[in-house]
Amino acid sequence: MEQKGRPGPRVGPGLRAEGQDMADKVEFELVSPERLIASRAVDMVVVPGGEGNFGVLAGHAPMITTVRPGVIDMYDGDQVVDRIFVAGGFAEVTETRCTVLAEQAVAVAQIDRAAAEQEVRDLGEDVEDAKSEAERTTLEHRLAIAQAKLAAVEAGTAAAH
Amino acid sequence: MPSLKDLKNRITSVKSTQKITAAMKMVAASKLRRAQDQAEAGRPYAERMARMLSSLAANVQAGGEGPRLMAGTGKDEVHLLVVMTADRGLCGAFNSSIVREARRQIALLQGQGKTVKIMTVGRKGRDNLRRTHAGLIGQTFEEVGRRRLSFADADQIAARVLEMFEAGEFDVCSVVYNRFKSAMTQIVTVQQVVPFAVPESTEAAPATDEARALYEYEPDEEQILAELLPRNLSIQVYRALLENAASEQGARMTAMDNATRNAGDMINRLTLTYNRTRQAYITKELIEIISGAEAL
């Protein structure tokens, strides 16, 4: 499920205005129901939105969107400084802030690849064995999250090599 | 008059009771701190969720009637009460005050000719309500968040409530729990969660109105709202559970503090009686010896 960022002023560090200073950072916050997971000022953050990935720079038009399972990339300059996997949620963007509400979040570096593979296999089998339609739907939902998690690790390790 | 040995035994037994209550008080105090920290940590999410909801709701309400979780079923016939209590006793009036309020609500609703269904969270509530309203209790949850309350626990309860709502098993759902005010005071609260009443934002209205109009929605408002509302239900349940957990520990701490103090008073009284009895015994023996000597 590869979705590219949309065109327009909201995408890409290359489109940043010249001569920006610290005030042009975005306050990024990642919160789960149990705690505040991350809160930092970044140059750009790329969020896997429900309708495609989108990058947020300072001065982004205010919006509210759903988030699908995937990886949030935080940029400082042109460097990715942090990658966090989220299992879906919501995002609220204002000119100076980007808040992501996620139920489950884990740093990509901390995902255990073997465990993720195992989870995908197990859930795949469970989906096959699902007895009712409702059960199948919830399992498929969980499988999609597990697959996205695995894809996140694979992309992460590929980049490292 | 009790013998010296009996008194001594009683003093020892009250002393060991005091040790237990003092230990329970300390355990409750540390659990209370943990529960408070957890409630604190959950606040940012809830706040942002509420902010999104109010801006979404304002936009949707203007257009149509919104999803059923917010607009309701249009009826007010069947009420579901989610009664949250503790699994354990020895925490003062904590459980009984919730149960009392639940009974009051049931009587009130039934008096208006409504149908009432009950879902209980926590063993004490189930045991207490089963005696009088066994027929109304549908689902019960026990040992919720025994070690550490997690969002998944709340999610499970909310999922069940949603399932019932989708199946049209109730029109209005409220949770009954103890709101934490301080370790001494907990306030029994009945909060309606379905249909959800979106809180009016308390900030300066004109400014937020402008901000609302500016938001872009992806996908559209209705769709986001339809996803956000079930999440919000879980959050409301989670918050209620957290408040309840803090209240339970607070109530237990206060109750155990009272018990410890009471045991102290009792020990003092018993020791006094013990010493008096012992003195009387010694005096009696002396008199016997002296009169024996004089008689010679």
Side-chain angles (χ1 to χ4, degrees), chain A residues 127-145:
Chain A
V127 170
E128 301 280 306
D129 298 341
K131 287 173 197 73
S132 68
E133 199 54 43
E135 196 184 341
R136 184 184 299 270
T137 323
T138 38
L139 283 170
E140 273 171 355
H141 179 66
R142 283 174 55 194
L143 180 62
I145 292 175

Side-chain angles (χ1 to χ4, degrees), chain B residues 146-165:
Chain B
R146 170 104 190 267
R147 281 257 168 69
R148 188 176 188 283
L149 188 66
S150 76
F151 182 64
D153 297 325
D155 218 22
Q156 205 188 338
I157 297 168
R160 179 69 194 123
V161 173
L162 272 181
E163 210 177 288
M164 286 177 75
F165 185 68

